[in-house]
Amino acid sequence: MARERIVSGAEQPEDKFQAAMSPALRPRMLTEYIGQGELIEKVRIAVAAAKQRGEPMEHVLLSGPPGLGKTTLAYIIAEEMTGVAPKITSGPALVKPADLVGILTNLKAGDVLFIDEIHRLSRVVEEYLYPAMENYSIDVVMDSGAHAQVMTIPLQPFTLIGATTRTGLISGPMRSRFGIAHHLSYYSPADLLKIVSRSAELLKLPADKDALLQIASRSRGTPRVANRLLRRVRDFAVVRSEGKVTMEVLDQALGLEAIDQLGLDALDRRFLAVMARDYDGGPVGIEAMAATMGEERDTLEDVVEPFLLQIGFIRRTPKGRQMTAAAYQHLGLDKPAEKEDGSLF
């Protein structure tokens, strides 16, 4: 089981608690959404066209790492189309066809159904979705054996929004039934600065622009992480700095969380340090790294490696993981000399 880390894009209990206790930071309309310009333009056109025709919007598949705004966009589409929140479920929650049938038959005309982790739907449940998405109907088998009969149940027209962190696990037939399929990319520091500035304003938090820019640059390209860091810095500022976020307060607050200038935390740096110290920078297999660090392989693959790959600190080779010169420079270490065949001494 992956550990909870402040720099992880995955939703954590503190996010739900803060959402309930603090002003809602999640944008409600397309005009409030920051970043992902190409996707937002697609959605804006699709929403406007659907409203003009008086039909539901076409189905949408959103993919990308956690924390980039897939759920937020589902809420926005539902708000733009119907003025009410989407009906929400997840792939692991739909264990048998009856679970899905119950949800679909209770949808009203124009409703938005959001299925998170849609790649984890079972094949049987997925096949029930096909006619629902295409023809707004489901076929239910009554009885069994020689007495089996198929009853077709009509459904109200609806929009399905699926979210996934692993597009490759979604079957071809399922993927082909979405009218809009888009991969959300990591955010630039400029867009994250707009997001944390908006959040600071909603929280009525006085903050220097330089401090907000630092939060944006340490947020690993992820809005959820940016807002989480902002709340941690706010708490520190309330106790130590009369509530104002300055560069000094920011450095102290994030230093307490062991988050450096690039957004790496203690686990990231330990991963790199072990690779440099014990394996001369690699190449090294992930199983060996997991055993040396005393961590689960899934934790390293799903939680640590993605960001290190994104910023070019490690690379995957046929022989295993290998550190780059940039990683050595960040850690303040000298890169080992290379042999003529490219391997390290």
Side-chain angles (χ1 to χ4, degrees):
M1 181 177 178
R3 65 174 66 187
E4 291 180 357
R5 301 161 68 210
I6 187 174
V7 291
S8 169
E11 189 174 37
Q12 299 177 5
E14 72 167 275
D15 300 319
K16 297 179 181 179
F17 175 78
Q18 291 290 347
M21 300 301 294
S22 303
L25 303 182
R26 175 176 283 160
R28 294 173 53 86
M29 307 299 291
L30 284 171
T31 52
E32 299 174 357
Y33 197 98
I34 298 170
Q36 310 294 341
E38 181 182 343
L39 171 60
I40 294 304
E41 186 61 21
K42 286 181 185 178
V43 171
R44 183 178 287 113
I45 292 172
V47 167
K51 283 183 173 180
Q52 288 184 20
R53 294 193 304 267
E55 300 173 354
M57 180 179 158
E58 56 188 337
H59 306 303
V60 181
L61 177 64
L62 303 174
S63 61
L68 297 187
K70 298 184 289 294
T71 302
T72 295
L73 196 53
Y75 272 90
I76 288 176
I77 292 173
E79 180 70 28
E80 295 274 2
M81 291 297 301
T82 66
V84 298
K87 306 298 185 291
I88 296 178
T89 186
S90 66
L94 301 174
V95 178
K96 51 188 184 296
D99 300 329
L100 177 65
V101 170
I103 293 174
L104 293 176
T105 53
N106 283 305
L107 293 176
K108 299 177 182 176
D111 274 355
V112 173
L113 172 62
F114 177 62
I115 302 181
D116 199 10
E117 297 184 274
I118 195 169
H119 62 273
R120 295 179 62 184
L121 282 175
S122 69
R123 183 57 57 89
V124 175
V125 174
E126 181 179 310
E127 289 178 353
Y128 269 77
L129 262 181
Y130 296 162
M133 295 173 70
E134 288 186 326
N135 307 318
Y136 302 122
S137 65
I138 47 176
D139 297 327
V140 179
V141 179
M142 310 295 293
D143 217 329
S144 60
H147 302 287
Q149 293 182 336
V150 176
M151 181 174 67
T152 300
I153 302 176
L155 302 173
Q156 295 290 345
F158 70 97
T159 296
L160 173 65
I161 301 178
T164 177
T165 55
R166 299 188 176 184
T167 314
L169 296 183
I170 296 180
S171 66
M174 170 63 79
R175 193 182 299 114
S176 67
R177 285 169 168 80
F178 288 95
I180 297 176
H182 193 93
H183 182 83
L184 278 71
S185 55
Y186 285 104
Y187 285 64
S188 68
D191 283 339
L192 286 173
L193 176 59
K194 295 177 184 178
I195 290 171
V196 294
S197 298
R198 174 182 177 272
S199 298
E201 184 177 341
L202 290 172
L203 294 171
K204 296 181 172 56
L205 176 65
D208 293 343
K209 185 173 181 180
D210 289 345
L212 293 179
L213 180 58
Q214 272 296 304
I215 292 176
S217 65
R218 299 189 195 193
S219 298
R220 305 163 77 111
T222 307
R224 180 178 287 155
V225 174
N227 284 326
R228 193 182 295 146
L229 292 181
L230 180 67
R231 292 195 297 264
R232 293 291 180 91
V233 173
R234 176 190 63 173
D235 292 346
F236 189 93
V238 167
V239 175
R240 300 286 178 86
S241 182
E242 299 180 352
K244 183 173 182 179
V245 176
T246 63
M247 279 298 297
E248 182 180 0
V249 168
L250 173 81
D251 287 336
Q252 293 176 8
L254 296 189
L256 192 63
E257 301 288 349
I259 299 171
D260 66 20
Q261 297 289 330
L262 293 182
L264 273 63
D265 69 356
L267 183 59
D268 296 316
R269 291 191 295 275
R270 186 159 70 92
F271 181 90
L272 294 173
V274 166
M275 189 178 290
R277 181 194 68 210
D278 297 345
Y279 299 100
D280 295 326
V284 56
I286 193 64
E287 292 287 359
M289 285 293 298
T292 305
M293 295 178 65
E295 298 283 351
E296 296 289 336
R297 171 177 177 161
D298 290 347
T299 299
L300 299 184
E301 285 189 319
D302 298 338
V303 177
V304 177
E305 284 192 333
F307 184 63
L308 297 179
L309 287 165
Q310 177 198 340
I311 62 175
F313 274 17
I314 62 172
R315 55 176 173 261
R316 288 179 176 173
T317 71
K319 295 182 179 180
R321 278 66 171 173
Q322 188 167 24
M323 283 178 63
T324 64
Y328 279 101
Q329 183 177 359
H330 184 71
L331 293 180
L333 301 174
D334 293 328
K335 184 178 179 182
E338 294 186 357
K339 298 179 181 179
E340 293 182 0
D341 62 1
S343 61
L344 301 176
F345 283 113

